[in-house]
Amino acid sequence: MSTDLLYTEVEEDLRSAVRRVLRDRCEVSSVLARCESDEPYDLALWRTLAGELGVAALAVPEELGGGGAGVRELAVVAEELGRAVAPVPFLGTVLATAALTAAGSADPIAEIGAGTLVTTLAVGLTTAPSAPISPAVRVEGGTLTGTVTAVVDLEVADRVLVPATGPDGTGLYIVDTADSGVGRTPVTPLDLTRRFGTLDLTGAQARLVAADATPVLRRALLTAAGVLAAEQVGLAQHSLDSTVEYVQTRYQFGRRIGSFQAVKHRLADLWSGVSTARATSRNAADALTGGDAGEAELAVALGQAYCSDLAVLAAEESLQLHGGIGMTWEHPIHLYLGRAKSAQLTFGTPERHRARIAELVDLPGV
């Protein structure tokens, strides 16, 4: 099976539209200001991206009320959001819509797609797609009780999809966060632009979405991990671009620092790394769109194993080649480094994905 890594004309049009909105509505100065406010998420921006551009339910089939596109298009959006470290509930939405799609549920896709309802999935943010599924939430008399830690985008979620175990096995349920049995405790994150928190359920009212949660969760985690690789590529590309721009204007000893060979070599190596990361990310998005589960799992593991480390390297190189000014609070580099380091642990570490690759291709000694 051949893989097309090139961007289509439709994908480039989508990229231009998202980039235009982010350029006008997501200045890095406003992102920095939000980090210190009581409203770290920009929900007005999210409603524009979801309601006007349709990015929230982009990869959901039309028969379920979505945009009918694929993960390739969703990955393009992720690249742009990564470039802008946009403070919007994108990752939780990807998890939720992928889970609802896998479950064949159209409710509440329409509200998610319009941006009027924020929904996330109650799984720990570090859960790898191949990790054992063992929910800490119980079903008792039709209500849910238990605790789930590190739930992404929880503080702005209106609904949460919760895997829970009962007499009939592990199902996927949806709860309203306004219910009296739902508690949310935010956690101070490394990534100030993407929050997570602890979900406490004490007899919360719930509605069954899928009787068997395991395949639904696997598909949701796999899709989100593949999309996250694309976001990491966007972050790395911005780190490279902004650093190249800086070294062309910063002078030392009467010369632009970008003219020094040592700097050129570091940036050339980084360019090569970003190009490779883009190829692995595109391969993952294409495999997820193609529908072959085995091929998609291998491609996502490869993408995560490479893009996670590369994004951190790109942010660190950007910080160092800016001469350390990026560690001042007013400069945005620390936002990119925080996002890269946090994403490196999200949906499994690179080491875990490398081990999974070895299992999938049956390497000896594993």
Side-chain angles (χ1 to χ4, degrees):
M1 179 179 176
S2 63
T3 301
D4 183 5
L5 303 183
L6 300 178
Y7 297 100
T8 66
E9 185 175 344
V10 171
E11 290 166 353
E12 290 295 359
D13 288 344
L14 175 62
R15 180 195 306 283
S16 298
V18 174
R19 185 175 293 186
R20 185 165 53 251
V21 170
L22 293 175
R23 182 190 60 212
D24 295 341
R25 303 273 301 278
C26 192
E27 286 283 339
V28 71
S29 57
S30 66
V31 178
L32 281 166
R34 280 191 175 277
C35 291
E36 297 181 303
S37 74
D38 295 331
E39 296 181 352
Y41 282 88
D42 190 342
L43 294 182
L45 171 63
W46 179 242
R47 284 190 288 272
T48 298
L49 290 169
E52 296 182 16
L53 299 187
V55 306
L58 186 64
V60 176
E62 291 180 344
E63 56 268 28
L64 294 179
V71 180
R72 286 176 57 106
E73 289 82 359
L74 195 60
V76 170
V77 174
E79 286 182 28
E80 293 308 308
L81 295 177
R83 286 178 65 97
V85 284
V88 292
F90 175 70
L91 197 58
T93 300
V94 171
L95 281 166
T97 54
L100 290 168
T101 300
S105 174
D107 182 22
I109 290 290
E111 292 84 354
I112 295 173
T116 57
L117 200 67
V118 176
T119 305
T120 188
L121 180 65
V123 294
L125 196 56
T126 59
T127 306
S130 60
I133 303 297
S134 53
V137 178
R138 305 181 309 279
V139 185
E140 298 173 343
T143 63
L144 304 187
T145 298
T147 299
V148 185
T149 59
V151 178
V152 69
D153 298 335
L154 180 63
E155 67 184 80
V156 292
D158 303 293
R159 303 281 190 277
V160 183
L161 296 167
V162 183
T165 302
D168 299 325
T170 300
L172 186 68
Y173 297 79
I174 188 167
V175 301
D176 187 333
T177 56
D179 188 280
S180 58
V182 179
R184 292 181 284 181
T185 305
V187 175
T188 302
L190 177 62
D191 177 6
L192 298 174
T193 61
R194 176 178 288 150
R195 310 293 176 115
F196 56 91
T198 299
L199 177 69
D200 290 302
L201 302 173
T202 51
Q205 297 295 320
R207 178 170 52 79
L208 183 65
V209 174
D212 185 0
T214 300
V216 172
L217 294 177
R218 294 245 182 270
R219 182 63 189 181
L221 287 167
L222 195 65
T223 301
V227 172
L228 180 63
E231 184 190 280
Q232 290 164 324
V233 169
L235 185 154
Q237 185 68 62
H238 171 85
S239 298
L240 174 61
D241 293 344
S242 61
T243 305
V244 169
E245 182 179 354
Y246 177 76
V247 301
Q248 288 178 326
T249 57
R250 173 83 167 103
Y251 279 75
Q252 194 78 25
F253 308 115
R255 292 174 56 183
R256 290 182 296 181
I257 63 173
S259 66
F260 292 105
Q261 195 168 34
V263 175
K264 290 180 180 177
H265 283 181
R266 290 174 67 166
L267 289 171
D269 288 344
L270 188 55
W271 178 87
S272 177
V274 173
S275 299
T276 304
R278 187 181 304 282
T280 60
S281 164
R282 293 293 292 166
N283 180 53
D286 191 72
L288 285 164
T289 301
D292 185 313
E295 185 175 333
E297 185 173 5
L298 178 59
V300 169
L302 181 62
Q304 270 297 304
Y306 192 87
C307 295
S308 292
D309 285 342
L310 189 280
V312 173
L313 173 65
E316 290 177 341
E317 287 287 74
S318 180
L319 174 65
Q320 292 177 16
L321 292 174
H322 274 76
I325 63 171
M327 284 310 293
T328 61
W329 192 252
E330 293 77 13
H331 201 283
I333 291 180
H334 67 85
L335 295 178
Y336 288 85
L337 184 57
R339 172 73 69 95
K341 290 295 290 184
S342 178
Q344 192 180 35
L345 304 176
T346 299
F347 304 136
T349 63
E351 290 77 13
R352 171 131 196 175
H353 287 292
R354 282 192 280 272
R356 184 57 180 158
I357 292 169
E359 292 172 357
L360 291 170
V361 300
D362 199 22
L363 283 178
V366 177

